[in-house]
């Protein structure tokens, strides 16, 4: 009997959870100040209004903010026609909207996906990968990233990075990781690999992509810590106790795909 590797979850639940936590944290100091200077009945109302308003403002233009933190530049219509063609066809195969395309001017070989649920997701490919990968390899990489979009794995890390990303490297790192990854199956990367192999109907293409990444370096210079789970390969060498570490060794992923 085939093993059910589905990890799909409801994106709106993740968004509501992260936004509610952010609003709740903001509301506490406003409430305390309000209790000092306002009638008791008015302080909670003001705290709720301010917290919701600030959270809503910070949730606007999330995708653009994440692109800026990654150093990703939007690709023009005719700037990368081979990649655009791969993304169009692979989006149909996976069953998601065609994502926005970006390039990261970094010699590393990696790619990342993000999205807040407000419109199509975004994909960024490093220059090192874009210039070296064959078309069949790009298909496997894009299919892996879009499988995460389809399965609802992208929104929580994206919104968490936008609202709490500045805390990801401090004492609150564990809390931020919980927000970004709560409910995430530890097999998520492997599940996305399997989904990509099914969508492209050619597992060797993804194997070749992983081998190409392994032959170079997947480490990128600009890497918001709470976005680590959304990269195709680990964007930095994680510490043993890193709560954001999400990627199995490339060799293990390659061996599993070769068994298909």
């Amino acid at each position: 009997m085939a093993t059910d590797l589905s990890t799909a979850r409801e994106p709106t639940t993740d968004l509501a959870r992260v936004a509610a936590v952010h609003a709740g944290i903001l509301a506490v100091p406003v409430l305390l100040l309000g209790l000092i200077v306002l009638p008791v009945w008015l302080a909670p109302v003001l705290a709720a209004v301010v917290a919701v308003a600030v959270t809503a403002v910070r949730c606007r233009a999330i995708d653009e903010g994440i692109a800026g933190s990654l150093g990703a530049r939007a690709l023009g219509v005719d700037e990368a026609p081979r990649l655009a063609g791969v993304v169009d066809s692979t989006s149909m195969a996976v069953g998601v909207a065609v994502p926005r395309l970006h390039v990261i001017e970094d010699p590393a070989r990696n790619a990342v996906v993000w999205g807040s649920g407000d419109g199509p997701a975004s994909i960024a490919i490093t220059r090192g990968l874009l210039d070296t990968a064959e078309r069949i390899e790009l298909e496997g990489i894009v299919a892996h990233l879009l499988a995460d979009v389809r399965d609802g794995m992208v929104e929580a890390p994206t919104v968490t990075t936008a609202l709490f990303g500045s805390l990801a490297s401090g004492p609150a790192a564990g809390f931020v990781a919980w927000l970004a990854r709560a409910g995430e199956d530890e097999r998520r990367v492997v599940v996305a690999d399997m989904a990509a192999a099914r969508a492209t109907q050619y597992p060797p293409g993804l194997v070749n992509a992983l081998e190409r990444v392994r032959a170079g370096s997947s480490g990128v210079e600009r890497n918001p810590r709470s976005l680590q789970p959304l990269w195709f390969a680990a964007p930095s060498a994680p510490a043993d106790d890193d709560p954001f570490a999400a990627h199995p060794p490339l060799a293990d992923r390659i061996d599993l795909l070769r068994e298909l």
Side-chain angles (χ1 to χ4, degrees), residues 51-148:
V52 170
V54 172
T55 300
V57 169
R58 295 195 64 183
C59 283
R60 295 182 62 185
I62 282 181
D63 290 347
E64 291 78 5
I66 296 296
S69 70
L70 292 166
R73 174 179 61 81
L75 283 169
V77 176
D78 299 322
E79 193 171 350
R82 183 182 63 147
L83 177 62
V86 165
V87 170
D88 284 348
S89 60
T90 307
S91 298
M92 293 179 60
V94 176
V96 299
V98 177
R100 306 178 181 98
L101 298 182
H102 301 72
V103 64
I104 299 173
E105 299 295 346
D106 191 302
R109 298 176 181 180
N110 215 334
V112 64
V113 62
W114 71 93
S116 63
D118 182 18
S122 295
I123 283 178
I125 309 285
T126 60
R127 177 61 65 184
L129 186 59
L130 186 60
D131 287 349
T132 60
E134 301 291 339
R135 180 185 177 91
I136 196 68
E137 296 167 1
L138 288 175
E139 287 179 355
I141 293 166
V142 170
H144 172 105
L145 298 176
L146 294 183
D148 273 347

Side-chain angles (χ1 to χ4, degrees), residues 168 170-175 177 181 225 228 237-246:
F175 168 72
R181 304 185 64 188
R225 196 176 178 204
Q228 284 191 32
D240 292 338
D241 58 348
D242 187 349
F244 298 99

Side-chain angles (χ1 to χ4, degrees), residues 19-31 47 50-56 58 164:
V21 170
H22 184 265
I25 292 174
L26 287 179
V28 171
V30 179
L31 175 61
V50 170
V52 170
V54 172
T55 300
R58 295 195 64 183
F164 296 99

